[in-house]
Amino acid sequence: MKKLVFSLAIVGLLFASCTSDDDETTPVVTPPVDSGELTGDVTVSKTLIKGNYTLEGVLKVKSGVTLTVDAGSVITANTASGSSFDAILVEKGGKIIMNGTAAEPIVCTHATKVAGSWGGIIIYGDAPIVGSKKVTSANSEDGITSSEGKAYTYGGSNATDNSGSLKFVRVEYAGKKIADGSSELNGFSFYAVGSGTVLENLVSYKGNDDGFEFYGGTVSAKNLISYGNADDSFDWQDGWRGQENTNWYAYQTGVGNYGMEIESKNEDNDFWPVISGITLKRAAGTVTEDNTPQYDAIQFKSRGNGFYSNILISGYTNPSATAVRIQDEGTNTSQVKANKIKLTDIKINDGTNPFAYKDATITVTFPEGFFVTSTTATGASITPGAWAVIDGVNLLNN
């Protein structure tokens, strides 16, 4: 079994003082220092002091263990060293505490600055899922195996399960395609993560797959930025049911598929996620992966559902695109007609079509009050800061 390796440099204490009592104290942000290498299994609870760390391979936080990372830390993956891929992975029963600040976010990146270079952050919890044929547990879809060579399973019975806290964390250039040749890793992957887990002020930047993906679970997320990810900005399945989601912002540029891909493994669930304050923007000239017709801002399929409000959509002007698409008759019959999909206060700019469906065999008519457009919706309202600035560019300016 691999071990966690830390080569920690001596860190000096820096002090800032005012010249007089009348001066206002300005917080001093000191750069992190080189603090060593991260690799293997974390088997004892540890705190990583603010520093620059190199990630070699998959860092696994084991069950019963808490890994804490100080604000301002930078973790740089380095697959060039010979590892098949790099990722930060929290096993079921483990916890990760990564609480940065607006001024000092925790940045997880790759040395090459190339999309698809590493695996991002992956968390396995113990909250409920509803998979295909109503299974309550399933093998993870990312193709990663445990130290024993077995596929990770997800799905449990603890709706309030706590896998830790991520605040002001940025993941850059993730979306690695792994050894099986078909599985790709997201910026953030949440498998059966419970509502006791805190997800706030997170950025997924220029990954090669989805920005954020939820595989079942009950966790909610606030203040999310998905920027320049090549597949979907936000994606979920397996009966994800987070109830307190607010302020989700997506900007698709270069290559990007759906703004939000919403599905539920064809299971007709009597619950759904709730999200308020959504902004979905697509830059001119953005194409889809392999030129597939996946241009829509929001797509519902396989009985995906949910209640969504205060939505701002712009830039989805391709002739094949629409603001909201109902992809199949099963979703139309069991979700739209059954009042399980609700979109209110929707502002659609740029002449994007309001909603559509796969083909002429489907006739979609939302119940009264369940699809309501607006001229005043504002979408996501997120406070900018250093946590949302990369190479001098404020991601929220778009």
Side-chain angles (χ1 to χ4, degrees):
M1 183 176 290
K2 295 180 180 178
K3 295 181 179 179
L4 177 66
V5 178
F6 295 104
S7 301
L8 297 178
I10 297 174
V11 181
L13 297 178
L14 301 178
F15 297 91
S17 61
C18 297
T19 57
S20 73
D21 293 339
D22 295 330
D23 292 338
E24 292 185 4
T25 301
T26 301
V28 176
V29 177
T30 59
V33 298
D34 291 336
S35 298
E37 179 183 289
L38 308 176
T39 188
D41 294 347
V42 185
T43 58
V44 178
S45 295
K46 296 180 180 293
T47 296
L48 304 184
I49 62 172
K50 177 182 175 180
N52 287 315
Y53 297 89
T54 299
L55 175 66
E56 298 278 359
V58 181
L59 181 68
K60 297 180 181 179
V61 182
K62 307 296 285 185
S63 180
V65 173
T66 299
L67 177 64
T68 302
V69 183
D70 280 353
S73 294
V74 178
I75 299 174
T76 303
N78 183 22
T79 46
S81 66
S83 301
S84 59
F85 68 94
D86 308 314
I88 298 171
L89 186 151
V90 182
E91 296 187 358
K92 184 185 295 188
K95 287 185 180 181
I96 190 163
I97 309 295
M98 302 178 78
N99 288 340
T101 67
E104 294 190 278
I106 296 170
V107 178
C108 304
T109 188
H110 195 275
T112 64
K113 295 189 175 183
V114 174
S117 293
W118 72 296
I121 294 177
I122 306 162
I123 301 178
Y124 293 92
D126 192 39
I129 73 164
V130 178
S132 180
K133 299 182 180 179
K134 296 192 180 298
V135 298
T136 57
S137 66
N139 291 335
S140 63
E141 298 188 1
D142 53 30
I144 293 180
T145 57
S146 67
S147 301
E148 293 75 28
K150 299 178 180 179
Y152 281 101
T153 60
Y154 64 103
S157 58
N158 183 4
T160 61
D161 188 40
N162 183 350
S163 296
S165 176
L166 302 180
K167 295 182 178 181
F168 296 101
V169 177
R170 193 164 74 227
V171 169
E172 304 171 351
Y173 313 113
K176 177 74 174 180
K177 186 184 292 292
I178 65 172
D180 67 2
S182 60
S183 299
E184 290 176 323
L185 301 164
N186 307 298
F188 293 86
S189 301
F190 301 117
Y191 284 93
V193 175
S195 62
T197 308
V198 176
L199 305 176
E200 295 180 3
N201 297 88
L202 307 179
V203 176
S204 182
Y205 178 79
K206 290 192 176 181
N208 201 46
D209 200 52
D210 299 331
F212 298 85
E213 184 152 8
F214 299 83
Y215 300 86
T218 55
V219 70
S220 295
K222 301 177 180 180
N223 304 330
L224 301 186
I225 300 174
S226 182
Y227 190 103
N229 292 293
D231 194 354
D232 309 315
S233 298
F234 305 104
D235 191 349
W236 59 89
Q237 55 188 290
D238 295 314
W240 174 61
R241 62 190 88 178
Q243 295 294 292
E244 298 179 4
N245 302 281
T246 60
N247 297 323
W248 288 20
Y249 176 91
Y251 184 72
Q252 297 180 288
T253 181
V255 179
N257 293 338
Y258 301 117
M260 296 168 64
E261 185 176 33
I262 302 168
E263 59 179 303
S264 197
K265 294 290 181 65
N266 266 320
E267 297 302 328
D268 183 10
N269 298 316
D270 290 325
F271 52 79
W272 44 79
V274 177
I275 309 174
S276 64
I278 302 168
T279 296
L280 304 174
K281 293 186 176 183
R282 190 176 184 91
T286 300
V287 299
T288 60
E289 286 185 305
D290 303 320
N291 294 315
T292 53
Q294 301 181 70
Y295 291 97
D296 306 318
I298 303 174
Q299 187 213 50
F300 292 91
K301 68 178 181 180
S302 301
R303 291 173 169 81
N305 57 18
F307 284 10
Y308 310 90
S309 61
N310 188 12
I311 307 164
L312 180 64
I313 294 173
S314 62
Y316 295 82
T317 56
N318 183 283
S320 300
T322 188
V324 178
R325 184 180 299 274
I326 307 301
Q327 183 69 6
D328 54 84
E329 181 55 43
T331 301
N332 184 36
T333 299
S334 66
Q335 308 303 309
V336 175
K337 294 179 181 179
N339 300 345
K340 295 180 181 180
I341 296 176
K342 186 175 185 179
L343 303 110
T344 59
D345 198 17
I346 313 166
K347 184 178 180 181
I348 304 171
N349 293 326
D350 305 319
T352 298
N353 292 326
F355 72 87
Y357 29 89
K358 182 180 179 181
D359 54 46
T361 65
I362 302 173
T363 300
V364 177
T365 303
F366 280 90
E368 185 176 357
F370 278 72
F371 189 97
V372 182
T373 58
S374 165
T375 60
T376 59
T378 57
S381 178
I382 301 176
T383 302
W387 70 285
V389 175
I390 299 179
D391 296 332
V393 176
N394 181 354
L395 304 183
L396 295 169
N397 278 348
N398 289 307

